[in-house]
Amino acid sequence: SYLIILYSMFFFSTNHSFFSYTAVNFQKILTIAISVIINTTIVATLRYRWKKSQRELIKANGQLREHNEKLKTQSETDPLTGLFNRHALRANYHNYVGINLIVAYMDVDNFKQINDNYGHDAGDDVLRTISNGLKEFFTNTDAYRYGGDEFLLIRKDIDTSLFDNQLHQMMNRMDELSHSDNKPDIKFSAGYVYGVAETAVDLRSMFEKADELMYEVKRQGKMDILGQRYE
């Protein structure tokens, strides 16, 4: 801006005096100066608005990402228990192929009787209690509410002694909670397999085998755990 004004003053000079004062030259210089000020103000205003728009856009994008992440979390979380749901299992499925796994199914024993005798609110409390136990004892395990009173656990290792011990610890905790405040007995049966799922089909087969073992426990009298290597 200053260079434009200085160049204009030199342009209207005479005999290299830098600026020759005449009424006309003065008016021209004044007009140029005003134009420069106006243009500079406009450019500065536009630049300010552009920067402001950029900040607002960055903020809006951040809020959109947070909203999308929140929606994703909500879509993959069971609202009653706070565990993963089947949608999350589909999203995570590929993460379980080709590595050592423990796959377990758990089912609340006599859940229909709990709902019939104590009401559905009590049944919901039992499911929440089970889910809290899973979060407490299986922090390094993906826990899903698979449906109704059935839960799916997937752990990326094959330390079955630790896994079995944690299941029994959780059983003991549920038993302790069952004998307070006239609450229903909280018992569960579990079946699990361990090994490597080389393909997605193998992983589905592991699910089915763990489910079969859980129902074998049910047939044998419930409230037990049965594990087996996946071949």
mmCIF file of all heavy atoms in Angstrom, residues 185-226:
data_model
loop_
_atom_site.group_PDB
_atom_site.id
_atom_site.type_symbol
_atom_site.label_atom_id
_atom_site.label_comp_id
_atom_site.label_asym_id
_atom_site.label_seq_id
_atom_site.Cartn_x
_atom_site.Cartn_y
_atom_site.Cartn_z
ATOM 1 N N ASP A 185 -31.150 -65.531 42.645
ATOM 2 C CA ASP A 185 -29.854 -66.167 42.457
ATOM 3 C C ASP A 185 -29.315 -65.821 41.068
ATOM 4 O O ASP A 185 -30.040 -65.903 40.065
ATOM 5 C CB ASP A 185 -29.977 -67.688 42.575
ATOM 6 C CG ASP A 185 -30.224 -68.122 44.013
ATOM 7 O OD1 ASP A 185 -30.023 -67.288 44.912
ATOM 8 O OD2 ASP A 185 -30.625 -69.278 44.205
ATOM 9 N N ILE A 186 -28.046 -65.435 41.028
ATOM 10 C CA ILE A 186 -27.410 -65.108 39.743
ATOM 11 C C ILE A 186 -26.398 -66.203 39.446
ATOM 12 O O ILE A 186 -25.300 -66.241 40.007
ATOM 13 C CB ILE A 186 -26.723 -63.728 39.782
ATOM 14 C CG1 ILE A 186 -27.723 -62.649 40.215
ATOM 15 C CG2 ILE A 186 -26.138 -63.389 38.410
ATOM 16 C CD1 ILE A 186 -27.104 -61.275 40.384
ATOM 17 N N LYS A 187 -26.784 -67.094 38.583
ATOM 18 C CA LYS A 187 -25.934 -68.202 38.190
ATOM 19 C C LYS A 187 -25.780 -68.180 36.670
ATOM 20 O O LYS A 187 -26.640 -67.688 35.957
ATOM 21 C CB LYS A 187 -26.541 -69.545 38.604
ATOM 22 C CG LYS A 187 -26.949 -69.635 40.070
ATOM 23 C CD LYS A 187 -25.743 -69.708 40.987
ATOM 24 C CE LYS A 187 -26.178 -69.942 42.432
ATOM 25 N NZ LYS A 187 -25.016 -69.993 43.349
ATOM 26 N N PHE A 188 -24.695 -68.742 36.211
ATOM 27 C CA PHE A 188 -24.530 -68.830 34.759
ATOM 28 C C PHE A 188 -23.756 -70.083 34.398
ATOM 29 O O PHE A 188 -23.019 -70.644 35.213
ATOM 30 C CB PHE A 188 -23.838 -67.585 34.187
ATOM 31 C CG PHE A 188 -22.415 -67.388 34.651
ATOM 32 C CD1 PHE A 188 -21.348 -68.015 34.012
ATOM 33 C CD2 PHE A 188 -22.137 -66.543 35.729
ATOM 34 C CE1 PHE A 188 -20.044 -67.818 34.437
ATOM 35 C CE2 PHE A 188 -20.829 -66.344 36.160
ATOM 36 C CZ PHE A 188 -19.782 -66.986 35.515
ATOM 37 N N SER A 189 -23.940 -70.503 33.164
ATOM 38 C CA SER A 189 -23.193 -71.623 32.597
ATOM 39 C C SER A 189 -22.329 -71.077 31.465
ATOM 40 O O SER A 189 -22.702 -70.100 30.802
ATOM 41 C CB SER A 189 -24.140 -72.696 32.048
ATOM 42 O OG SER A 189 -24.980 -73.186 33.073
ATOM 43 N N ALA A 190 -21.170 -71.719 31.252
ATOM 44 C CA ALA A 190 -20.259 -71.213 30.233
ATOM 45 C C ALA A 190 -19.566 -72.355 29.502
ATOM 46 O O ALA A 190 -19.249 -73.391 30.098
ATOM 47 C CB ALA A 190 -19.217 -70.288 30.852
ATOM 48 N N GLY A 191 -19.325 -72.148 28.225
ATOM 49 C CA GLY A 191 -18.540 -73.086 27.425
ATOM 50 C C GLY A 191 -17.574 -72.294 26.576
ATOM 51 O O GLY A 191 -17.908 -71.221 26.080
ATOM 52 N N TYR A 192 -16.356 -72.815 26.438
ATOM 53 C CA TYR A 192 -15.386 -72.074 25.635
ATOM 54 C C TYR A 192 -14.477 -73.022 24.865
ATOM 55 O O TYR A 192 -14.278 -74.174 25.235
ATOM 56 C CB TYR A 192 -14.558 -71.122 26.502
ATOM 57 C CG TYR A 192 -13.617 -71.786 27.488
ATOM 58 C CD1 TYR A 192 -12.327 -72.158 27.111
ATOM 59 C CD2 TYR A 192 -14.014 -72.015 28.810
ATOM 60 C CE1 TYR A 192 -11.457 -72.747 28.019
ATOM 61 C CE2 TYR A 192 -13.153 -72.602 29.724
ATOM 62 C CZ TYR A 192 -11.873 -72.963 29.319
ATOM 63 O OH TYR A 192 -11.009 -73.556 30.212
ATOM 64 N N VAL A 193 -13.937 -72.472 23.765
ATOM 65 C CA VAL A 193 -12.940 -73.175 22.981
ATOM 66 C C VAL A 193 -11.738 -72.253 22.823
ATOM 67 O O VAL A 193 -11.853 -71.036 22.936
ATOM 68 C CB VAL A 193 -13.470 -73.584 21.587
ATOM 69 C CG1 VAL A 193 -14.561 -74.609 21.718
ATOM 70 C CG2 VAL A 193 -13.950 -72.377 20.815
ATOM 71 N N TYR A 194 -10.578 -72.853 22.566
ATOM 72 C CA TYR A 194 -9.379 -72.051 22.368
ATOM 73 C C TYR A 194 -8.565 -72.619 21.215
ATOM 74 O O TYR A 194 -8.564 -73.832 20.971
ATOM 75 C CB TYR A 194 -8.544 -71.998 23.644
ATOM 76 C CG TYR A 194 -8.108 -73.338 24.184
ATOM 77 C CD1 TYR A 194 -6.851 -73.866 23.887
ATOM 78 C CD2 TYR A 194 -8.959 -74.081 25.007
ATOM 79 C CE1 TYR A 194 -6.463 -75.107 24.395
ATOM 80 C CE2 TYR A 194 -8.582 -75.314 25.509
ATOM 81 C CZ TYR A 194 -7.319 -75.818 25.195
ATOM 82 O OH TYR A 194 -6.932 -77.042 25.687
ATOM 83 N N GLY A 195 -7.898 -71.738 20.488
ATOM 84 C CA GLY A 195 -7.123 -72.145 19.327
ATOM 85 C C GLY A 195 -7.029 -70.997 18.343
ATOM 86 O O GLY A 195 -7.242 -69.834 18.690
ATOM 87 N N VAL A 196 -6.719 -71.324 17.096
ATOM 88 C CA VAL A 196 -6.552 -70.311 16.055
ATOM 89 C C VAL A 196 -7.650 -70.477 15.006
ATOM 90 O O VAL A 196 -7.870 -71.584 14.497
ATOM 91 C CB VAL A 196 -5.177 -70.421 15.375
ATOM 92 C CG1 VAL A 196 -5.032 -69.383 14.265
ATOM 93 C CG2 VAL A 196 -4.061 -70.265 16.398
ATOM 94 N N ALA A 197 -8.315 -69.385 14.694
ATOM 95 C CA ALA A 197 -9.278 -69.377 13.594
ATOM 96 C C ALA A 197 -8.542 -68.900 12.349
ATOM 97 O O ALA A 197 -8.279 -67.713 12.193
ATOM 98 C CB ALA A 197 -10.451 -68.458 13.913
ATOM 99 N N GLU A 198 -8.191 -69.816 11.470
ATOM 100 C CA GLU A 198 -7.410 -69.460 10.280
ATOM 101 C C GLU A 198 -8.229 -68.636 9.290
ATOM 102 O O GLU A 198 -7.683 -67.816 8.541
ATOM 103 C CB GLU A 198 -6.894 -70.718 9.592
ATOM 104 C CG GLU A 198 -5.938 -71.553 10.432
ATOM 105 C CD GLU A 198 -4.612 -70.852 10.690
ATOM 106 O OE1 GLU A 198 -4.348 -69.813 10.060
ATOM 107 O OE2 GLU A 198 -3.838 -71.354 11.534
ATOM 108 N N THR A 199 -9.528 -68.848 9.292
ATOM 109 C CA THR A 199 -10.410 -68.134 8.364
ATOM 110 C C THR A 199 -11.648 -67.658 9.117
ATOM 111 O O THR A 199 -11.895 -68.055 10.273
ATOM 112 C CB THR A 199 -10.855 -69.026 7.203
ATOM 113 O OG1 THR A 199 -11.696 -70.082 7.718
ATOM 114 C CG2 THR A 199 -9.658 -69.636 6.478
ATOM 115 N N ALA A 200 -12.441 -66.820 8.454
ATOM 116 C CA ALA A 200 -13.696 -66.365 9.039
ATOM 117 C C ALA A 200 -14.651 -67.534 9.270
ATOM 118 O O ALA A 200 -15.425 -67.539 10.235
ATOM 119 C CB ALA A 200 -14.352 -65.314 8.128
ATOM 120 N N VAL A 201 -14.581 -68.526 8.393
ATOM 121 C CA VAL A 201 -15.422 -69.728 8.568
ATOM 122 C C VAL A 201 -15.002 -70.476 9.830
ATOM 123 O O VAL A 201 -15.848 -70.959 10.597
ATOM 124 C CB VAL A 201 -15.315 -70.641 7.331
ATOM 125 C CG1 VAL A 201 -16.065 -71.951 7.569
ATOM 126 C CG2 VAL A 201 -15.862 -69.926 6.092
ATOM 127 N N ASP A 202 -13.692 -70.570 10.074
ATOM 128 C CA ASP A 202 -13.209 -71.217 11.301
ATOM 129 C C ASP A 202 -13.693 -70.470 12.542
ATOM 130 O O ASP A 202 -14.045 -71.088 13.554
ATOM 131 C CB ASP A 202 -11.676 -71.263 11.309
ATOM 132 C CG ASP A 202 -11.112 -72.241 10.293
ATOM 133 O OD1 ASP A 202 -11.832 -73.198 9.945
ATOM 134 O OD2 ASP A 202 -9.974 -72.035 9.839
ATOM 135 N N LEU A 203 -13.684 -69.144 12.460
ATOM 136 C CA LEU A 203 -14.136 -68.348 13.603
ATOM 137 C C LEU A 203 -15.603 -68.627 13.894
ATOM 138 O O LEU A 203 -15.994 -68.808 15.055
ATOM 139 C CB LEU A 203 -13.914 -66.861 13.326
ATOM 140 C CG LEU A 203 -14.291 -65.897 14.454
ATOM 141 C CD1 LEU A 203 -13.526 -66.224 15.724
ATOM 142 C CD2 LEU A 203 -14.016 -64.453 14.030
ATOM 143 N N ARG A 204 -16.413 -68.693 12.850
ATOM 144 C CA ARG A 204 -17.826 -69.030 13.040
ATOM 145 C C ARG A 204 -17.957 -70.427 13.645
ATOM 146 O O ARG A 204 -18.801 -70.660 14.525
ATOM 147 C CB ARG A 204 -18.539 -68.955 11.688
ATOM 148 C CG ARG A 204 -19.974 -69.493 11.674
ATOM 149 C CD ARG A 204 -20.842 -68.855 12.724
ATOM 150 N NE ARG A 204 -20.937 -67.416 12.555
ATOM 151 C CZ ARG A 204 -21.559 -66.620 13.404
ATOM 152 N NH1 ARG A 204 -22.128 -67.141 14.499
ATOM 153 N NH2 ARG A 204 -21.605 -65.324 13.207
ATOM 154 N N SER A 205 -17.101 -71.334 13.227
ATOM 155 C CA SER A 205 -17.129 -72.690 13.774
ATOM 156 C C SER A 205 -16.757 -72.679 15.259
ATOM 157 O O SER A 205 -17.328 -73.447 16.058
ATOM 158 C CB SER A 205 -16.170 -73.580 12.985
ATOM 159 O OG SER A 205 -16.152 -74.889 13.498
ATOM 160 N N MET A 206 -15.816 -71.834 15.645
ATOM 161 C CA MET A 206 -15.446 -71.712 17.061
ATOM 162 C C MET A 206 -16.636 -71.215 17.877
ATOM 163 O O MET A 206 -16.890 -71.692 18.992
ATOM 164 C CB MET A 206 -14.259 -70.767 17.225
ATOM 165 C CG MET A 206 -12.942 -71.322 16.717
ATOM 166 S SD MET A 206 -11.531 -70.204 16.974
ATOM 167 C CE MET A 206 -11.243 -70.436 18.752
ATOM 168 N N PHE A 207 -17.360 -70.243 17.324
ATOM 169 C CA PHE A 207 -18.560 -69.751 18.010
ATOM 170 C C PHE A 207 -19.545 -70.891 18.248
ATOM 171 O O PHE A 207 -20.098 -71.054 19.348
ATOM 172 C CB PHE A 207 -19.248 -68.665 17.176
ATOM 173 C CG PHE A 207 -18.502 -67.363 17.096
ATOM 174 C CD1 PHE A 207 -18.949 -66.356 16.268
ATOM 175 C CD2 PHE A 207 -17.356 -67.131 17.839
ATOM 176 C CE1 PHE A 207 -18.281 -65.140 16.195
ATOM 177 C CE2 PHE A 207 -16.672 -65.936 17.774
ATOM 178 C CZ PHE A 207 -17.139 -64.932 16.937
ATOM 179 N N GLU A 208 -19.772 -71.652 17.195
ATOM 180 C CA GLU A 208 -20.746 -72.743 17.289
ATOM 181 C C GLU A 208 -20.308 -73.803 18.294
ATOM 182 O O GLU A 208 -21.135 -74.311 19.068
ATOM 183 C CB GLU A 208 -20.940 -73.366 15.903
ATOM 184 C CG GLU A 208 -21.611 -72.420 14.905
ATOM 185 C CD GLU A 208 -21.632 -72.973 13.496
ATOM 186 O OE1 GLU A 208 -21.010 -74.052 13.275
ATOM 187 O OE2 GLU A 208 -22.248 -72.347 12.613
ATOM 188 N N LYS A 209 -19.008 -74.115 18.311
ATOM 189 C CA LYS A 209 -18.516 -75.142 19.240
ATOM 190 C C LYS A 209 -18.624 -74.658 20.688
ATOM 191 O O LYS A 209 -19.015 -75.426 21.583
ATOM 192 C CB LYS A 209 -17.059 -75.484 18.909
ATOM 193 C CG LYS A 209 -16.510 -76.631 19.735
ATOM 194 C CD LYS A 209 -17.309 -77.910 19.538
ATOM 195 C CE LYS A 209 -16.751 -79.053 20.346
ATOM 196 N NZ LYS A 209 -17.552 -80.284 20.213
ATOM 197 N N ALA A 210 -18.275 -73.380 20.922
ATOM 198 C CA ALA A 210 -18.393 -72.832 22.277
ATOM 199 C C ALA A 210 -19.854 -72.841 22.721
ATOM 200 O O ALA A 210 -20.163 -73.137 23.888
ATOM 201 C CB ALA A 210 -17.827 -71.412 22.319
ATOM 202 N N ASP A 211 -20.757 -72.539 21.810
ATOM 203 C CA ASP A 211 -22.182 -72.551 22.113
ATOM 204 C C ASP A 211 -22.643 -73.969 22.457
ATOM 205 O O ASP A 211 -23.418 -74.171 23.401
ATOM 206 C CB ASP A 211 -22.952 -72.013 20.900
ATOM 207 C CG ASP A 211 -24.390 -71.655 21.240
ATOM 208 O OD1 ASP A 211 -24.618 -71.060 22.308
ATOM 209 O OD2 ASP A 211 -25.286 -71.977 20.440
ATOM 210 N N GLU A 212 -22.154 -74.947 21.715
ATOM 211 C CA GLU A 212 -22.499 -76.345 22.002
ATOM 212 C C GLU A 212 -22.009 -76.757 23.390
ATOM 213 O O GLU A 212 -22.733 -77.444 24.137
ATOM 214 C CB GLU A 212 -21.869 -77.259 20.946
ATOM 215 C CG GLU A 212 -22.489 -77.148 19.575
ATOM 216 C CD GLU A 212 -21.736 -77.971 18.551
ATOM 217 O OE1 GLU A 212 -20.813 -78.717 18.955
ATOM 218 O OE2 GLU A 212 -22.060 -77.872 17.348
ATOM 219 N N LEU A 213 -20.790 -76.361 23.745
ATOM 220 C CA LEU A 213 -20.249 -76.707 25.061
ATOM 221 C C LEU A 213 -21.068 -76.066 26.174
ATOM 222 O O LEU A 213 -21.291 -76.677 27.226
ATOM 223 C CB LEU A 213 -18.788 -76.273 25.151
ATOM 224 C CG LEU A 213 -17.807 -77.043 24.269
ATOM 225 C CD1 LEU A 213 -16.428 -76.389 24.306
ATOM 226 C CD2 LEU A 213 -17.703 -78.500 24.731
ATOM 227 N N MET A 214 -21.497 -74.818 25.945
ATOM 228 C CA MET A 214 -22.318 -74.158 26.961
ATOM 229 C C MET A 214 -23.631 -74.930 27.174
ATOM 230 O O MET A 214 -24.059 -75.162 28.306
ATOM 231 C CB MET A 214 -22.628 -72.722 26.538
ATOM 232 C CG MET A 214 -23.472 -71.956 27.556
ATOM 233 S SD MET A 214 -24.041 -70.369 26.925
ATOM 234 C CE MET A 214 -25.245 -70.905 25.690
ATOM 235 N N TYR A 215 -24.254 -75.352 26.085
ATOM 236 C CA TYR A 215 -25.510 -76.088 26.231
ATOM 237 C C TYR A 215 -25.287 -77.494 26.775
ATOM 238 O O TYR A 215 -26.189 -78.077 27.408
ATOM 239 C CB TYR A 215 -26.265 -76.118 24.895
ATOM 240 C CG TYR A 215 -27.033 -74.843 24.668
ATOM 241 C CD1 TYR A 215 -26.548 -73.859 23.825
ATOM 242 C CD2 TYR A 215 -28.226 -74.596 25.349
ATOM 243 C CE1 TYR A 215 -27.231 -72.670 23.643
ATOM 244 C CE2 TYR A 215 -28.917 -73.418 25.183
ATOM 245 C CZ TYR A 215 -28.421 -72.448 24.326
ATOM 246 O OH TYR A 215 -29.097 -71.257 24.162
ATOM 247 N N GLU A 216 -24.106 -78.040 26.571
ATOM 248 C CA GLU A 216 -23.780 -79.314 27.218
ATOM 249 C C GLU A 216 -23.749 -79.128 28.733
ATOM 250 O O GLU A 216 -24.216 -80.001 29.491
ATOM 251 C CB GLU A 216 -22.427 -79.814 26.704
ATOM 252 C CG GLU A 216 -21.968 -81.124 27.325
ATOM 253 C CD GLU A 216 -22.915 -82.279 27.014
ATOM 254 O OE1 GLU A 216 -23.590 -82.248 25.956
ATOM 255 O OE2 GLU A 216 -22.980 -83.219 27.834
ATOM 256 N N VAL A 217 -23.197 -78.014 29.187
ATOM 257 C CA VAL A 217 -23.213 -77.697 30.627
ATOM 258 C C VAL A 217 -24.655 -77.581 31.109
ATOM 259 O O VAL A 217 -25.008 -78.080 32.192
ATOM 260 C CB VAL A 217 -22.450 -76.379 30.891
ATOM 261 C CG1 VAL A 217 -22.642 -75.934 32.346
ATOM 262 C CG2 VAL A 217 -20.970 -76.542 30.589
ATOM 263 N N LYS A 218 -25.517 -76.952 30.324
ATOM 264 C CA LYS A 218 -26.921 -76.815 30.701
ATOM 265 C C LYS A 218 -27.564 -78.194 30.872
ATOM 266 O O LYS A 218 -28.305 -78.439 31.832
ATOM 267 C CB LYS A 218 -27.677 -76.034 29.610
ATOM 268 C CG LYS A 218 -27.266 -74.582 29.455
ATOM 269 C CD LYS A 218 -27.864 -73.706 30.512
ATOM 270 C CE LYS A 218 -27.644 -72.250 30.191
ATOM 271 N NZ LYS A 218 -28.159 -71.357 31.261
ATOM 272 N N ARG A 219 -27.266 -79.086 29.946
ATOM 273 C CA ARG A 219 -27.858 -80.427 30.007
ATOM 274 C C ARG A 219 -27.354 -81.204 31.218
ATOM 275 O O ARG A 219 -28.065 -82.061 31.757
ATOM 276 C CB ARG A 219 -27.548 -81.199 28.712
ATOM 277 C CG ARG A 219 -28.333 -80.746 27.509
ATOM 278 C CD ARG A 219 -28.159 -81.695 26.332
ATOM 279 N NE ARG A 219 -26.814 -81.618 25.773
ATOM 280 C CZ ARG A 219 -26.455 -80.781 24.802
ATOM 281 N NH1 ARG A 219 -27.352 -79.941 24.290
ATOM 282 N NH2 ARG A 219 -25.220 -80.787 24.332
ATOM 283 N N GLN A 220 -26.134 -80.892 31.651
ATOM 284 C CA GLN A 220 -25.547 -81.618 32.780
ATOM 285 C C GLN A 220 -25.951 -81.041 34.141
ATOM 286 O O GLN A 220 -25.558 -81.572 35.161
ATOM 287 C CB GLN A 220 -24.025 -81.618 32.653
ATOM 288 C CG GLN A 220 -23.495 -82.412 31.466
ATOM 289 C CD GLN A 220 -21.991 -82.341 31.329
ATOM 290 O OE1 GLN A 220 -21.308 -81.741 32.176
ATOM 291 N NE2 GLN A 220 -21.456 -82.952 30.279
ATOM 292 N N GLY A 221 -26.700 -79.977 34.149
ATOM 293 C CA GLY A 221 -27.177 -79.447 35.416
ATOM 294 C C GLY A 221 -26.866 -77.986 35.675
ATOM 295 O O GLY A 221 -27.152 -77.475 36.761
ATOM 296 N N LYS A 222 -26.254 -77.289 34.714
ATOM 297 C CA LYS A 222 -26.005 -75.837 34.787
ATOM 298 C C LYS A 222 -24.930 -75.485 35.813
ATOM 299 O O LYS A 222 -24.363 -76.343 36.473
ATOM 300 C CB LYS A 222 -27.301 -75.075 35.086
ATOM 301 C CG LYS A 222 -28.433 -75.372 34.118
ATOM 302 C CD LYS A 222 -29.696 -74.643 34.515
ATOM 303 C CE LYS A 222 -30.844 -74.977 33.556
ATOM 304 N NZ LYS A 222 -32.097 -74.294 33.910
ATOM 305 N N MET A 223 -24.689 -74.161 35.915
ATOM 306 C CA MET A 223 -23.761 -73.588 36.896
ATOM 307 C C MET A 223 -22.379 -74.226 36.835
ATOM 308 O O MET A 223 -21.799 -74.609 37.844
ATOM 309 C CB MET A 223 -24.335 -73.702 38.320
ATOM 310 C CG MET A 223 -25.585 -72.879 38.536
ATOM 311 S SD MET A 223 -26.329 -73.120 40.154
ATOM 312 C CE MET A 223 -26.998 -74.745 39.983
ATOM 313 N N ASP A 224 -21.867 -74.370 35.604
ATOM 314 C CA ASP A 224 -20.538 -74.983 35.451
ATOM 315 C C ASP A 224 -19.859 -74.386 34.228
ATOM 316 O O ASP A 224 -20.454 -73.590 33.480
ATOM 317 C CB ASP A 224 -20.664 -76.502 35.318
ATOM 318 C CG ASP A 224 -19.362 -77.229 35.694
ATOM 319 O OD1 ASP A 224 -18.371 -76.538 35.976
ATOM 320 O OD2 ASP A 224 -19.375 -78.467 35.690
ATOM 321 N N ILE A 225 -18.621 -74.809 33.999
ATOM 322 C CA ILE A 225 -17.815 -74.301 32.900
ATOM 323 C C ILE A 225 -17.192 -75.487 32.169
ATOM 324 O O ILE A 225 -16.699 -76.427 32.806
ATOM 325 C CB ILE A 225 -16.690 -73.372 33.400
ATOM 326 C CG1 ILE A 225 -17.289 -72.178 34.159
ATOM 327 C CG2 ILE A 225 -15.810 -72.901 32.249
ATOM 328 C CD1 ILE A 225 -16.275 -71.433 34.987
ATOM 329 N N LEU A 226 -17.213 -75.447 30.860
ATOM 330 C CA LEU A 226 -16.635 -76.524 30.067
ATOM 331 C C LEU A 226 -15.802 -75.913 28.943
ATOM 332 O O LEU A 226 -16.296 -75.081 28.179
ATOM 333 C CB LEU A 226 -17.731 -77.415 29.472
ATOM 334 C CG LEU A 226 -17.304 -78.685 28.736
ATOM 335 C CD1 LEU A 226 -16.506 -79.603 29.684
ATOM 336 C CD2 LEU A 226 -18.531 -79.421 28.209
#
